[in-house]
Amino acid sequence: MSPGAGRALGPLLLLLVLLQCAARRRVVKRSVPDVCATCHVHATCHQIEGKSVCICNYGFVGNGRTHCQDKDECQIGANKICGNHTLCHNTHGSFYCVCLDGFRASNNNKTFIPNDGTNCTDIDECEESGLCGHNAKCVNTEGSYKCYCNDGYKLENGERSFHPDGNTVSCRGVDCGVPPSVLNAHPASVSGTTYGSEVTYNCVHGYFMASGTQTAVCNAEGQWDGTDLVCKEIDCGKPLLIPRTEMTWDNSTTLRSRVYYQCKEGYYFNGGKNFSECTIDQSWENITFVCKGEELFSNLSIFNETCVKWERKTGRLGVQKTYTFHILGQRWDEKTFSEDVIFNITTNEDNPKVCLDLDSGSNYVVNITTISSANIPVSVAVAIQTKVKEPFNNVLIFNDTCLKWKRNVRGTDVGDRYSFHVQGQRWYQKEFFHEMIFDITTHKQAPEVCFDLQPGTNYSVNISMAALNFSLLVSMTTQITDPPFPDVEFVAVTGSAPLLRLRKAEDQNGPISFYQVIVLPLDLQSTFICDSFAAATFFSNATDVKGYVAAEFQAKDVADNMPISLGDRHYYGKFYNAPLKLGEEYCVFLRVISEWNKVRTQSCAIWAQIKNLAPTPQYMSAVGLGSVAAVCLILFLTFSAARSYLHNTVSSPPAALACEAVYLSATMDTAQLGITSSFLETENVSLL
Ligand SMILES: *[C@@H]1O[C@H](CO)[C@@H](O)[C@H](O)[C@H]1NC(C)=O
Ligand SMILES: *[C@@H]1O[C@H](CO)[C@@H](O)[C@H](O)[C@H]1NC(C)=O
Ligand SMILES: *[C@@H]1O[C@H](CO)[C@@H](O)[C@H](O)[C@H]1NC(C)=O
Ligand SMILES: *[C@@H]1O[C@H](CO)[C@@H](O)[C@H](O)[C@H]1NC(C)=O
Ligand SMILES: *[C@@H]1O[C@H](CO)[C@@H](O)[C@H](O)[C@H]1NC(C)=O
Ligand SMILES: *[C@@H]1O[C@H](CO)[C@@H](O)[C@H](O)[C@H]1NC(C)=O
Ligand SMILES: *[C@@H]1O[C@H](CO)[C@@H](O)[C@H](O)[C@H]1NC(C)=O
Ligand SMILES: *[C@@H]1O[C@H](CO)[C@@H](O)[C@H](O)[C@H]1NC(C)=O
Ligand SMILES: *[C@@H]1O[C@H](CO)[C@@H](O)[C@H](O)[C@H]1NC(C)=O
Ligand SMILES: *[C@@H]1O[C@H](CO)[C@@H](O)[C@H](O)[C@H]1NC(C)=O
Ligand SMILES: *[C@@H]1O[C@H](CO)[C@@H](O)[C@H](O)[C@H]1NC(C)=O
Ligand SMILES: *[C@@H]1O[C@H](CO)[C@@H](O)[C@H](O)[C@H]1NC(C)=O
């Protein structure tokens, strides 16, 4: 019995006790028989406060003596006495409880008396596996259970929940069947027809998805969910308007409809496609279709000073076009146009470039005219100013003293006036200064001018054109020519070495660098060539035959009228002034050498003749006069030649000597190449 049931019995027991007390008092008052012997068969005798009392046994109700009858506990109600989910069974003097189907007694017995707290709890039938079969799940209920088909499964009758009840029922997978058709769409992909399968719809060509979902799903009920796609036909509407075009269109606005564009009269196409299509995006495709007005001279510019270029932005590219150039030209120093040229140029280039043959230092107006497609002449004028950078160029020096150049300035009809300022200087002759200033005017395209320049001089020639404010500096260097003939006092001696006097030469044609005293056997005098005579020393192998340089003086070391003693056995420069041999006949030359700019020129003069060298000197002298070749034929004393001692005492017997005094000149001039035949052009002069 449950505690609740116990509490319900409390008042009942109290009632029984009170009834028994009342009965006993009545018995006591009447007689005093053995009470206990009178107890009912279903009663028990109890001693209470010293008195015997008969009390009906448990499960019986009555007075304990005459009356103890079975109490039907179950009458109270099974739920009340046995607890929930029970059946109550009354027995003679007692009762027991049984759990309803689907419940189990908590003491695991079939029957129970609720007084020990036993109750009936629900049995979880689902703990037993396989109760519902495949593809279904078991759900416990109070006192029972239910089976439910899994999602996507159903019974044959379409229900999902069932109780097996021993019948063989099974859950089968649902099948949504063929996907439903959607208007203007087609199933693009179907993953199946069972639960969870998907079908994707695409709009048919030319249609677009206006609303709804693209994918339908097979649901657990076996129906396709989401077949609400709405496909509508593509409509691009009105085509785009492109300025300056005319459309060719069939009014169709559906997919791939085309509209063609064409430039209006007077405009030229410039761009890509000439049509636009209605696209899947429900819009006409964007095209770069540009119609431009005729631009015959777009972006005209001057480059490289005399060239013009422009762009021809017309629809008819590649078509030949003729441009008429009208060029008016005017030199800077002119007031009016002096040049007027018209010519045509025909080209099919889109970016023509024309380089004009323009002179420098001029202003031009170039008017370019062409005929438009509308047969209207279109002109553009551009001013071109050429710089005076070079009114002339290609300046050339020729023949040492001449200049020629090329005029760049336009027009042979206009003469150009050039001013010359020529200044010459010599490094070796500080006081030297040569200046010339003059103007020339010429019409020639390639003028030439020769200057009267001094030799051995650095000249700067400033050529200027006052009209064009232009000047040019040219440097010219003239070669040195041969130095002047040495000014010598000719000496003819017999018997002794002469005392010679060296006169300083002027730096007239160039710097004088050296003076050389050359000693030569007299018989070689006629073969002496000033230029080719090597500067041999006395000790050179060939001395005996060809002569030698006896002394060399740097020009700066030479004092005027410097005495020179032939044969004094000193060294002058690297040359040895060897003593003359007795009895020999010599002739002596003075050579003046100019060395400048790596060019060496020289002049020679015969200075002395020595015959029959003897210890006692006797000489006659003659003075050379300028460039006049003087020849002397002098008879001297004859002397007997004694044996000579080498390099030593010279015995010079007196002798008669025929002397020829000759001024020799040797230069580079071609005219002088015939020197061997001409230099002894002699004149017999009687000296003294
Ligand atoms: C029996 O069930 C009722 C309602 O279902 C509940 O109120 C009562 O407490 C239960 N009694 C016992 C003893 O469990
Ligand atoms: C009921 O269960 C108890 C233990 O809970 C056991 O002692 C008793 O014998 C059982 N009664 C019957 C009738 O099986
Ligand atoms: C039923 O009995 C069990 C075991 O004695 C106990 O745990 C449970 O609480 C009882 N249930 C009720 C409703 O009294
Ligand atoms: C397009 O429509 C316009 C009026 O809507 C009509 O005048 C024209 O003839 C149509 N063009 C074609 C090619 O059908
Ligand atoms: C479009 O251009 C093509 C060639 O690019 C040409 O053949 C056709 O005639 C053009 N159509 C129109 C309408 O101008
Ligand atoms: C066409 O051009 C318009 C305006 O520039 C732009 O808004 C649109 O997105 C373009 N359409 C396409 C398909 O490129
Ligand atoms: C004009 O010419 C210049 C130089 O050639 C170029 O850089 C420029 O882009 C051109 N302008 C136009 C509008 O074509
Ligand atoms: C300008 O002239 C120079 C030399 O004649 C040439 O090399 C160069 O290419 C020219 N420039 C142009 C833009 O034609
Ligand atoms: C240049 O061409 C035009 C026609 O394009 C012609 O009339 C004119 O005589 C031509 N001029 C010269 C100088 O050739
Ligand atoms: C260019 O020449 C044309 C024809 O000779 C003439 O009509 C036009 O006025 C000239 N333009 C200029 C700017 O000189
Ligand atoms: C320059 O020299 C050459 C020969 O060397 C000669 O023919 C020509 O006339 C000379 N020119 C002048 C301008 O002296
Ligand atoms: C001079 O001559 C000798 C023999 O004749 C020779 O050996 C020597 O090299 C020559 N010396 C010079 C500088 O020519």
Side-chain angles (χ1 to χ4, degrees), residues 195-207:
Y195 171 68
S197 296
E198 288 184 352
V199 54
T200 304
Y201 291 93
N202 278 345
C203 291
V204 296
H205 192 66
Y207 287 75

Side-chain angles (χ1 to χ4, degrees), residues 303-305 307 309 353 355:
F303 69 102
N304 265 5
E305 194 171 45
C307 302
K309 64 177 175 187
K353 290 178 185 169
C355 284

Side-chain angles (χ1 to χ4, degrees), residues 508-546:
Q508 190 181 313
N509 295 339
I512 305 297
S513 313
F514 304 107
Y515 295 80
Q516 283 181 350
V517 180
I518 297 167
V519 176
L520 205 66
L522 188 59
D523 55 348
L524 290 178
Q525 177 179 301
S526 60
T527 63
F528 177 80
I529 298 170
C530 190
D531 280 334
S532 53
F533 182 79
T537 69
F538 177 76
F539 300 112
S540 298
N541 276 2
T543 301
D544 294 341
V545 193
K546 291 177 182 166

Side-chain angles (χ1 to χ4, degrees), residues 146-213:
K146 239 183 172 178
C147 292
Y148 292 91
C149 289
N150 287 340
D151 283 352
Y153 292 85
K154 268 183 170 181
L155 297 179
E156 220 160 352
N157 63 8
E159 295 294 322
R160 279 190 70 192
S161 64
F162 63 97
H163 201 285
D165 290 341
N167 303 328
T168 52
V169 282
S170 63
C171 294
R172 297 182 180 178
V174 299
D175 189 331
C176 288
V178 179
S181 61
V182 173
L183 190 64
N184 295 322
H186 57 84
S189 72
V190 182
S191 69
T193 59
T194 56
Y195 171 68
S197 296
E198 288 184 352
V199 54
T200 304
Y201 291 93
N202 278 345
C203 291
V204 296
H205 192 66
Y207 287 75
F208 70 100
M209 289 174 229
S211 65
T213 52

Side-chain angles (χ1 to χ4, degrees), residues 112-126:
F112 64 92
I113 305 290
N115 58 3
D116 63 354
T118 299
N119 60 36
C120 287
T121 57
D122 179 48
I123 297 168
D124 186 359
E125 295 84 356
C126 293

Side-chain angles (χ1 to χ4, degrees), residues 240 279 281 283-286:
L240 307 160
T279 66
D281 304 330
S283 62
W284 295 96
E285 79 187 305
N286 287 339

Side-chain angles (χ1 to χ4, degrees), residues 636-673:
F636 280 92
L637 298 171
T638 56
F639 61 90
S640 60
R643 283 198 175 274
S644 60
Y645 307 90
L646 191 66
H647 307 305
N648 216 322
T649 328
V650 178
S651 153
S652 314
L657 180 77
C659 169
E660 292 159 300
V662 184
Y663 273 92
L664 300 172
S665 104
T667 68
M668 300 284 278
D669 290 358
T670 46
Q672 300 284 352
L673 284 174

Side-chain angles (χ1 to χ4, degrees), residues 324 326 328 342 365-369 377-382:
T324 303
H326 186 181
L328 290 175
I342 296 179
V365 174
V366 180
N367 185 347
I368 313 169
T369 306
V378 178
S379 291
V380 66
V382 57

